[in-house]
Amino acid sequence: MDYPTGIVTLVRPLDRVDASFNDVRVLASYRLLGGNAGRHLASGVQVRQEGKNSSLGAAVVNLDGKTTFGVRGTFDNGLTRADTRLAYSGGVQASADLSARLGDDTASLAARYQDTGYQGLAPFNVGLNVAANYTAAFGPNLRGIFDGEYHDTPTTWGGSVTARGEARLDPFSVGAGFQYAFGDTSGLGVVGSVAYHRHPLDVDVVHTQAVTGNLDTTTAILTRYRLTDKVTLG
């Protein structure tokens, strides 16, 4: 027990259940030595307007002596979805998440930007980060997957473009393509993928083998297991 921070460190991980299959829980109680120590007044106000497929809201929050001004807009008509946010607190923070279904094709874009001076709520990495994907269906068992990424931060700059074709042999799929990277990490790589998709298990393995430059050789493994229609592990 670290009394100054209140952190409790366990000797080993707890089992989920005991020998009788009862749930194992950790209960803790605490008491402040000074009733008002470390307490600060927080306040905020929010307004929101909702439409059939869209919403627009604005808020002002004061927490720990810092005030954050923010606006958020959303749109969702079943085929196209957008969620944009803009905040200011000594600096600017902005984000956008867009996705759309174009027939059998899908497209998505995610962007994040934050100034070095931003001191408000929910901070993320300083700089600009953008990721995009387009998945095109060329037939019932063949598709093309195109990914792009760009980042410009105080410590690194660059991006990459990946193109991969994938054939489905139910429940398996195999794919191959290439990746081109530029910036601090640059070069050309060959991409191969293997996947298994059959309810309730999904497993995707994507390997990128560097060929030129200082591109990293990587292997990404993604596993998902659907417990119910609304709960998925992974």
Side-chain angles (χ1 to χ4, degrees):
M1 173 70 181
D2 185 345
Y3 289 98
T5 63
I7 296 175
V8 177
T9 303
L10 302 179
V11 175
R12 63 176 180 82
L14 292 177
D15 295 327
R16 184 178 178 274
V17 295
D18 61 15
S20 301
F21 295 99
N22 298 310
D23 291 338
V24 175
R25 295 186 177 91
V26 176
L27 302 179
S29 62
Y30 70 95
R31 180 180 63 188
L32 295 176
L33 296 179
N36 296 320
R39 296 189 177 186
H40 302 281
L41 179 66
S43 60
V45 62
Q46 174 181 292
V47 294
R48 180 181 174 90
Q49 176 68 42
E50 292 193 5
K52 180 180 179 181
N53 299 318
S54 62
S55 67
L56 180 63
V60 180
V61 178
N62 183 276
L63 181 65
D64 294 333
K66 299 175 182 178
T67 301
T68 303
F69 303 88
V71 295
R72 179 185 182 185
T74 66
F75 177 83
D76 188 351
N77 65 356
L79 295 176
T80 301
R81 182 178 181 181
D83 188 341
T84 59
R85 309 183 188 206
L86 179 64
Y88 178 82
S89 180
V92 174
Q93 181 194 77
S95 66
D97 292 277
L98 312 173
S99 63
R101 178 171 291 278
L102 310 170
D104 293 329
D105 299 353
T106 60
S108 64
L109 173 70
R112 303 285 186 273
Y113 172 78
Q114 182 173 296
D115 280 347
T116 56
Y118 181 78
Q119 302 176 16
L121 299 175
F124 42 70
N125 293 334
V126 172
L128 175 65
N129 291 273
V130 181
N133 168 270
Y134 188 89
T135 300
F138 298 130
N141 297 314
L142 183 65
R143 65 177 185 168
I145 303 171
F146 307 92
D147 293 292
E149 177 269 332
Y150 176 79
H151 58 272
D152 186 358
T153 72
T155 58
T156 182
W157 168 85
S160 66
V161 177
T162 303
R164 174 166 51 99
E166 187 177 82
R168 184 171 183 180
L169 309 169
D170 190 42
F172 297 96
S173 62
V174 294
F178 69 90
Q179 180 182 80
Y180 170 74
F182 60 91
D184 298 332
T185 299
S186 61
L188 184 66
V190 177
V191 180
S193 65
V194 179
Y196 173 88
H197 298 282
R198 176 162 288 177
H199 184 81
L201 179 64
D202 296 294
V203 179
D204 293 271
V205 179
V206 180
H207 178 78
T208 302
Q209 181 65 47
V211 177
T212 64
N214 62 344
L215 184 68
D216 293 329
T217 295
T218 62
T219 300
I221 301 175
L222 177 63
T223 303
R224 296 179 299 275
Y225 187 87
R226 186 178 294 276
L227 295 176
T228 68
D229 290 341
K230 296 182 179 180
V231 179
T232 300
L233 296 178

